[in-house]
Amino acid sequence: MQIIPEEKIRQRVRELGKKISADYAGKQPTILILTNGGIFFGVDLLRELKNIPARIECVRVSSYKSGTRSSGNPEIFGTLEPDDFAGRDILIIDDIIDTGRTLKRIRDQVENFGAKSVRTCAFLDKPARREVNFYADYTGYEIDDVFVVGYGLDYAGNFRELPFVGKIC
Ligand code: IMP
Ligand code: MG
Protein backbone atom coordinates (compact mmCIF):
# COMPACT_ATOMS: atom_id res chain seq x y z
CA MET A 1 0.00 0.00 0.00
CA GLN A 2 1.38 3.42 -0.99
CA ILE A 3 2.02 5.85 1.82
CA ILE A 4 4.12 8.47 -0.03
CA PRO A 5 3.39 8.77 -3.75
CA GLU A 6 6.06 9.60 -6.31
CA GLU A 7 4.97 13.22 -6.75
CA LYS A 8 5.17 13.91 -2.99
CA ILE A 9 8.67 12.44 -2.92
CA ARG A 10 9.78 14.67 -5.78
CA GLN A 11 8.24 17.76 -4.22
CA ARG A 12 9.86 17.18 -0.82
CA VAL A 13 13.28 16.41 -2.34
CA ARG A 14 13.06 19.67 -4.28
CA GLU A 15 12.29 21.59 -1.07
CA LEU A 16 15.14 19.93 0.79
CA GLY A 17 17.49 20.69 -2.12
CA LYS A 18 16.60 24.37 -1.92
CA LYS A 19 17.09 24.53 1.82
CA ILE A 20 20.41 22.67 1.73
CA SER A 21 21.64 24.79 -1.20
CA ALA A 22 20.93 27.93 0.83
CA ASP A 23 22.59 26.53 3.96
CA TYR A 24 25.74 25.49 2.05
CA ALA A 25 26.00 28.55 -0.20
CA GLY A 26 29.65 29.32 -0.90
CA LYS A 27 30.81 25.95 0.44
CA GLN A 28 32.00 22.77 -1.22
CA PRO A 29 30.46 20.05 0.96
CA THR A 30 31.25 16.37 0.77
CA ILE A 31 28.06 14.34 0.53
CA LEU A 32 28.48 10.94 2.16
CA ILE A 33 25.74 8.60 0.94
CA LEU A 34 25.01 5.48 2.99
CA THR A 35 24.32 2.63 0.63
CA ASN A 36 22.50 0.66 -0.39
CA GLY A 37 19.30 2.37 0.79
CA GLY A 38 20.42 6.00 0.57
CA ILE A 39 21.41 5.85 -3.12
CA PHE A 40 18.07 6.88 -4.63
CA PHE A 41 17.42 9.78 -2.28
CA GLY A 42 21.09 10.82 -2.29
CA VAL A 43 21.32 11.08 -6.07
CA ASP A 44 17.95 12.84 -6.40
CA LEU A 45 18.93 15.33 -3.71
CA LEU A 46 22.31 16.03 -5.30
CA ARG A 47 20.56 16.92 -8.54
CA GLU A 48 18.42 19.44 -6.66
CA LEU A 49 21.42 21.29 -5.21
CA LYS A 50 21.89 24.59 -7.00
CA ASN A 51 25.37 26.06 -7.40
CA ILE A 52 26.90 23.72 -4.85
CA PRO A 53 30.04 22.00 -6.16
CA ALA A 54 29.64 18.92 -3.97
CA ARG A 55 32.05 16.01 -3.68
CA ILE A 56 30.62 12.51 -3.20
CA GLU A 57 31.62 9.58 -1.02
CA CYS A 58 29.71 6.34 -0.35
CA VAL A 59 29.92 3.73 2.33
CA ARG A 60 27.89 0.58 2.73
CA VAL A 61 26.17 0.10 6.07
CA SER A 62 23.79 -2.64 7.08
CA SER A 63 21.78 -3.10 10.24
CA TYR A 64 18.96 -5.31 8.95
CA LYS A 65 19.94 -8.78 7.90
CA SER A 66 16.73 -9.85 6.24
CA GLY A 67 13.84 -9.05 8.56
CA THR A 68 11.96 -5.97 9.65
CA ARG A 69 13.75 -5.27 12.93
CA SER A 70 17.16 -3.66 13.27
CA SER A 71 19.97 -5.89 14.56
CA GLY A 72 20.88 -3.02 16.89
CA ASN A 73 24.44 -3.14 15.62
CA PRO A 74 24.97 -1.46 12.26
CA GLU A 75 27.91 -2.97 10.39
CA ILE A 76 30.10 -0.79 8.21
CA PHE A 77 31.43 -2.54 5.10
CA GLY A 78 34.49 -0.91 3.60
CA THR A 79 36.56 1.88 5.02
CA LEU A 80 36.19 5.60 5.31
CA GLU A 81 39.42 7.46 4.58
CA PRO A 82 39.99 10.12 7.27
CA ASP A 83 41.65 12.43 4.70
CA ASP A 84 38.40 12.59 2.70
CA PHE A 85 36.65 14.13 5.71
CA ALA A 86 39.20 16.06 7.76
CA GLY A 87 38.68 19.83 7.55
CA ARG A 88 35.64 19.49 5.27
CA ASP A 89 31.92 20.24 5.56
CA ILE A 90 30.19 16.87 5.52
CA LEU A 91 26.54 16.06 4.85
CA ILE A 92 25.63 12.42 5.54
CA ILE A 93 22.60 11.03 3.71
CA ASP A 94 20.53 7.94 4.49
CA ASP A 95 17.09 6.67 3.51
CA ILE A 96 15.50 6.39 6.96
CA ILE A 97 16.19 6.84 10.67
CA ASP A 98 14.83 4.05 12.82
CA THR A 99 16.68 3.37 16.11
CA GLY A 100 19.12 6.15 15.15
CA ARG A 101 22.17 3.94 15.61
CA THR A 102 23.36 3.95 11.99
CA LEU A 103 23.49 7.69 11.41
CA LYS A 104 24.78 8.36 14.92
CA ARG A 105 27.63 5.89 14.49
CA ILE A 106 28.70 7.29 11.11
CA ARG A 107 28.32 10.89 12.27
CA ASP A 108 30.48 10.23 15.35
CA GLN A 109 33.13 8.59 13.20
CA VAL A 110 33.24 11.45 10.70
CA GLU A 111 33.46 13.94 13.57
CA ASN A 112 36.42 11.97 14.93
CA PHE A 113 38.16 12.36 11.56
CA GLY A 114 38.25 16.12 12.23
CA ALA A 115 35.52 17.28 9.83
CA LYS A 116 34.88 21.02 9.91
CA SER A 117 31.13 20.45 10.18
CA VAL A 118 28.89 17.39 10.07
CA ARG A 119 25.18 17.41 9.30
CA THR A 120 22.79 14.54 8.62
CA CYS A 121 19.85 14.15 6.29
CA ALA A 122 17.36 11.27 6.00
CA PHE A 123 14.36 11.06 3.73
CA LEU A 124 12.21 9.32 6.35
CA ASP A 125 12.17 9.38 10.12
CA LYS A 126 10.40 7.00 12.51
CA PRO A 127 10.79 8.93 15.80
CA ALA A 128 8.70 6.40 17.75
CA ARG A 129 11.44 3.79 17.23
CA ARG A 130 14.40 5.83 18.49
CA GLU A 131 16.78 4.01 20.86
CA VAL A 132 19.62 6.53 20.98
CA ASN A 133 19.57 10.30 21.31
CA PHE A 134 19.85 11.31 17.67
CA TYR A 135 18.09 13.88 15.50
CA ALA A 136 18.92 14.59 11.87
CA ASP A 137 19.44 18.14 10.65
CA TYR A 138 17.19 17.55 7.63
CA THR A 139 14.36 15.05 7.17
CA GLY A 140 11.80 14.55 4.44
CA TYR A 141 8.82 12.99 6.21
CA GLU A 142 8.08 11.60 9.65
CA ILE A 143 6.23 8.28 9.53
CA ASP A 144 4.64 5.95 12.07
CA ASP A 145 6.25 2.75 13.27
CA VAL A 146 5.56 0.74 10.12
CA PHE A 147 8.01 -1.15 7.91
CA VAL A 148 8.26 0.57 4.55
CA VAL A 149 9.80 -0.25 1.18
CA GLY A 150 10.51 1.58 -2.06
CA TYR A 151 12.58 4.65 -2.98
CA GLY A 152 15.70 2.76 -1.88
CA LEU A 153 14.21 0.96 1.09
CA ASP A 154 14.18 -2.82 0.93
CA TYR A 155 12.68 -5.88 2.48
CA ALA A 156 15.36 -8.60 2.32
CA GLY A 157 16.93 -6.87 -0.69
CA ASN A 158 13.67 -6.45 -2.62
CA PHE A 159 11.46 -3.49 -3.62
CA ARG A 160 14.17 -0.79 -3.59
CA GLU A 161 13.28 0.19 -7.15
CA LEU A 162 9.66 1.15 -6.43
CA PRO A 163 9.19 4.87 -7.25
CA PHE A 164 6.94 5.41 -4.22
CA VAL A 165 7.18 4.53 -0.51
CA GLY A 166 4.78 1.79 0.48
CA LYS A 167 4.10 -0.30 3.52
CA ILE A 168 4.02 -4.05 3.63
CA CYS A 169 0.53 -5.05 4.70
P1 IMP B 1 18.75 2.51 12.44
O1 IMP B 1 20.23 2.30 12.61
O2 IMP B 1 17.97 1.62 13.36
O3 IMP B 1 18.34 3.94 12.53
O4 IMP B 1 18.37 1.93 11.06
C1 IMP B 1 18.48 2.62 9.91
C2 IMP B 1 18.57 1.64 8.77
O5 IMP B 1 17.64 0.57 8.93
C3 IMP B 1 18.23 2.33 7.48
O6 IMP B 1 19.41 2.76 6.83
C4 IMP B 1 17.53 1.23 6.70
O7 IMP B 1 18.49 0.52 5.96
C5 IMP B 1 16.97 0.29 7.73
N1 IMP B 1 15.52 0.50 7.96
C6 IMP B 1 14.93 1.05 9.03
N2 IMP B 1 13.59 1.08 8.92
C7 IMP B 1 13.32 0.52 7.72
C8 IMP B 1 12.09 0.28 7.00
O8 IMP B 1 10.96 0.57 7.43
N3 IMP B 1 12.24 -0.31 5.78
C9 IMP B 1 13.44 -0.66 5.25
N4 IMP B 1 14.60 -0.43 5.88
C10 IMP B 1 14.54 0.15 7.11
MG1 MG C 1 20.36 1.50 5.54
Side-chain angles (χ1 to χ4, degrees), residues 34-38 61-64 94-96 102 153-154 160:
L34 307 192
T35 74
N36 297 337
V61 186
S62 177
S63 55
Y64 281 60
D94 202 3
D95 48 6
I96 190 167
T102 300
L153 293 143
D154 73 305
R160 291 193 197 276

Side-chain angles (χ1 to χ4, degrees), residues 45-112:
L45 187 63
L46 267 163
R47 284 196 281 231
E48 292 296 337
L49 298 185
K50 302 290 179 247
N51 300 315
I52 303 291
R55 298 160 61 102
I56 305 175
E57 297 291 335
C58 291
V59 68
R60 182 162 169 243
V61 186
S62 177
S63 55
Y64 281 60
K65 295 285 174 263
S66 59
T68 59
R69 287 280 150 183
S70 169
S71 68
N73 183 27
E75 255 185 282
I76 302 173
F77 298 92
T79 48
L80 294 167
E81 288 297 329
D83 283 355
D84 291 331
F85 301 95
R88 298 183 184 280
D89 295 303
I90 312 297
L91 177 63
I92 307 171
I93 296 184
D94 202 3
D95 48 6
I96 190 167
I97 314 168
D98 185 30
T99 65
R101 290 180 200 279
T102 300
L103 269 173
K104 185 175 190 307
R105 177 167 296 180
I106 299 287
R107 187 198 57 193
D108 291 351
Q109 193 168 121
V110 169
E111 274 173 355
N112 286 337

